[in-house]
Amino acid sequence: MKKFSLSHAQRASVFAHAHFGNLSFRTTTRGHSSKMVNRLTYRRRLGWNTRSNRKRISKTPGGRLVYLYTQKKGKVPKCGDCGHKLSGIPALRPYDLKHLSKPKKTVSRAYGGSRCHRCLRDRVVRAFLIEEQKIVVRALKSQQEKK
């Protein structure tokens, strides 16, 4: 029967694994200060650090450190003309917006929830001036016909 000889580092590793389980030892570059570090693993199938796989560390009542998955933040809707954020409309994800009632998703005026108040004022003024110009053109035509 052959005896297996282990180096000092291998024996320390086996001892640590037998006594501390999932904990690993991390040493600095000089090797004299060691610190126990808890290893964390993903709890879901996606194993890449992507935007949809964001997480934060939480301590359980049993003292374990685990990952808790965080949801993406919602974005505030923006004006279709100028791109400013629309006030009065919450920044939610599409799923949450789907479950909100209509008054909570819009502002009660023309183009509410689509255009900001500045762009709406510009549109109203522009429409009014165009109509005024049409009236002036009609009046000038009728004056020329009378002559």
Side-chain angles (χ1 to χ4, degrees):
M1 182 145 216
K2 276 189 178 180
K3 278 194 169 182
F4 293 105
S5 62
L6 296 174
S7 69
H8 179 70
Q10 288 171 332
R11 277 192 300 251
S13 174
V14 169
F15 174 80
H17 186 69
H19 290 289
F20 300 114
N22 215 11
L23 296 175
S24 64
F25 291 94
R26 186 175 72 197
T27 58
T28 61
T29 52
R30 300 207 177 168
H32 53 71
S33 83
S34 64
K35 179 181 172 184
M36 267 191 242
V37 179
N38 226 346
R39 287 190 187 174
L40 292 170
T41 56
Y42 287 122
R43 303 167 88 180
R44 296 181 183 165
R45 288 179 183 270
L46 180 58
W48 303 96
N49 187 22
T50 59
R51 286 176 55 213
S52 63
N53 204 23
R54 295 256 169 93
K55 66 241 167 270
R56 66 182 174 87
I57 297 174
S58 175
K59 198 171 217 174
T60 62
R64 285 175 48 226
L65 294 179
V66 295
Y67 280 140
L68 289 184
Y69 289 93
T70 58
Q71 291 185 332
K72 289 183 183 179
K73 288 182 182 176
K75 286 189 176 179
V76 178
K78 294 185 175 64
C79 174
D81 290 346
C82 65
H84 280 91
K85 293 179 180 178
L86 296 178
S87 55
I89 301 171
L92 296 173
R93 297 294 296 165
Y95 181 82
D96 300 326
L97 277 173
K98 184 172 73 171
H99 293 289
L100 276 185
S101 63
K102 183 83 171 182
K104 292 177 183 166
K105 288 186 278 198
T106 62
V107 181
S108 58
R109 64 167 175 258
Y111 295 99
S114 170
R115 303 289 184 260
C116 67
H117 63 280
R118 294 178 221 94
C119 295
L120 176 61
R121 184 178 59 207
D122 293 344
R123 281 177 180 230
V124 170
V125 169
R126 189 182 312 124
F128 176 75
L129 291 175
I130 289 170
E131 289 300 317
E132 285 291 312
Q133 192 171 3
K134 286 179 185 175
I135 292 169
V136 169
V137 167
R138 271 192 237 124
L140 288 174
K141 264 189 184 176
S142 65
Q143 279 182 1
Q144 284 183 355
E145 287 175 3
K146 287 181 182 177
K147 286 183 181 179

